[in-house]
């Protein structure tokens, strides 16, 4: 049996989990109180010092599945169950000595995205954000429904930040999720929207 990599083997320095619940919004409790959570993992960038022609696939296949398992397990634990999770998203923050492509390698391939989706029983493409930034940079991780991406009530975001990461030679990988929609959603949905075009909107000036 193949032994699992230890945290040091995949360059893991720390894991930061954040969870919140909106109690009231606009002076009233939401009809469906939702919990949001994010899990950020801080990793050594395995491609520091390599050039733009470097093949990233070997390290992606070794590291990304373990990161997907880790963030999924922590999200499920934070929000109660796989069934409780209704919306999801992902992000990467790359330290300044790395390339944007290094973050993309860890969140945009099937070795992360397909596994995260499977672990939380999703079907939608996972919405995302990425940036090369200093330690302590705040990102808004966009979310949408894990099964029905066009469900407008679940368009929301989770704010994520790690105070001391990423260092110049690190990558922060983030997964975020919510157990429900925004507080008091009431802007309709694509299934009930009227047909809106530039032609039928008289208020649009030419």
């Amino acid at each position: 049996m193949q032994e699992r990599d230890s945290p040091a083997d995949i360059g893991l320095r720390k894991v930061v989990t954040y969870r919140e619940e909106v109690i009231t919004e606009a002076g009233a409790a939401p009809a469906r109180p939702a919990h949001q959570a994010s899990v950020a993992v801080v990793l050594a960038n395995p491609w520091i010092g390599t050039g733009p022609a470097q093949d990233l696939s070997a390290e992606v296949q070794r590291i990304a599945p373990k990161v997907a398992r880790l963030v999924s397990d922590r999200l499920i634990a934070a929000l109660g169950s796989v069934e409780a999770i209704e919306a999801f998203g992902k992000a990467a923050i790359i330290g300044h000595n790395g390339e944007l492509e290094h973050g993309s390698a860890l969140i945009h391939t099937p070795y992360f995205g397909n596994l995260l989706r499977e672990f939380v029983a999703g079907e939608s493409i996972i919405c995302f954000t990425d940036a090369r930034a200093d330690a302590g940079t705040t990102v808004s991780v966009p979310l949408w429904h894990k099964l029905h991406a066009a469900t407008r009530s679940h368009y929301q975001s989770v704010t994520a930040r790690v105070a001391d990461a990423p260092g110049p030679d690190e990558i922060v990988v983030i997964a975020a999720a919510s157990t429900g929609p925004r507080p008091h959603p009431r802007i309709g949905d694509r299934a009930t929207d009227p047909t809106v075009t530039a032609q039928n909107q008289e208020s649009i000036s030419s």
Side-chain angles (χ1 to χ4, degrees):
M1 179 182 294
Q2 185 177 2
E3 293 186 4
R4 289 187 177 184
D5 287 346
S6 71
D9 291 332
I10 63 169
L12 180 66
R13 179 164 74 84
K14 65 161 52 177
V15 182
V16 178
T17 302
Y18 171 83
R19 181 177 180 276
E20 71 170 43
E21 177 187 2
V22 175
I23 306 302
T24 62
E25 177 77 14
R32 288 189 57 201
H35 299 254
Q36 294 183 335
S38 66
V39 178
V41 297
V42 181
L43 303 162
N45 184 335
W47 301 292
I48 292 296
T50 64
Q54 175 72 29
D55 183 353
L56 309 181
S57 57
E59 293 302 289
V60 168
Q61 292 173 35
R62 184 176 72 85
I63 297 172
K66 297 175 177 63
V67 176
R69 178 85 268 180
L70 173 59
V71 296
S72 300
D73 287 348
R74 298 293 179 96
L75 276 180
I76 293 165
L79 295 176
S81 68
V82 169
E83 294 73 22
I85 293 174
E86 294 187 5
F88 58 11
K90 61 185 178 179
I93 313 174
I94 303 93
H96 280 288
N97 288 342
E99 299 177 51
L100 281 172
E101 190 70 2
H102 297 162
S104 294
L106 289 181
I107 67 170
H108 291 320
T109 71
Y111 297 98
F112 180 84
N114 282 16
L115 295 177
L116 174 61
R117 189 163 35 245
E118 178 180 343
F119 294 150
V120 301
E123 295 179 5
S124 301
I125 291 174
I126 308 169
C127 53
F128 71 94
T129 189
D130 54 26
R132 185 164 55 208
D134 295 319
T137 295
T138 298
V139 296
S140 290
V141 186
L143 312 182
W144 60 29
H145 201 288
K146 72 177 186 179
L147 299 176
H148 311 291
T151 304
R152 196 176 294 138
S153 60
H154 286 62
Y155 293 171
Q156 55 196 295
S157 60
V158 172
T159 301
R161 175 180 178 271
V162 180
D164 65 347
D169 296 345
E170 292 181 324
I171 300 172
V172 178
V173 173
I174 303 165
S178 174
T179 63
R182 298 183 311 275
H184 314 306
R186 56 191 188 280
I187 58 171
D189 215 323
R190 295 179 71 173
T192 57
D193 285 345
T195 301
V196 177
T197 67
Q199 231 176 6
N200 67 22
Q201 297 300 294
E202 296 179 0
S203 61
I204 299 176
S205 58
S206 59

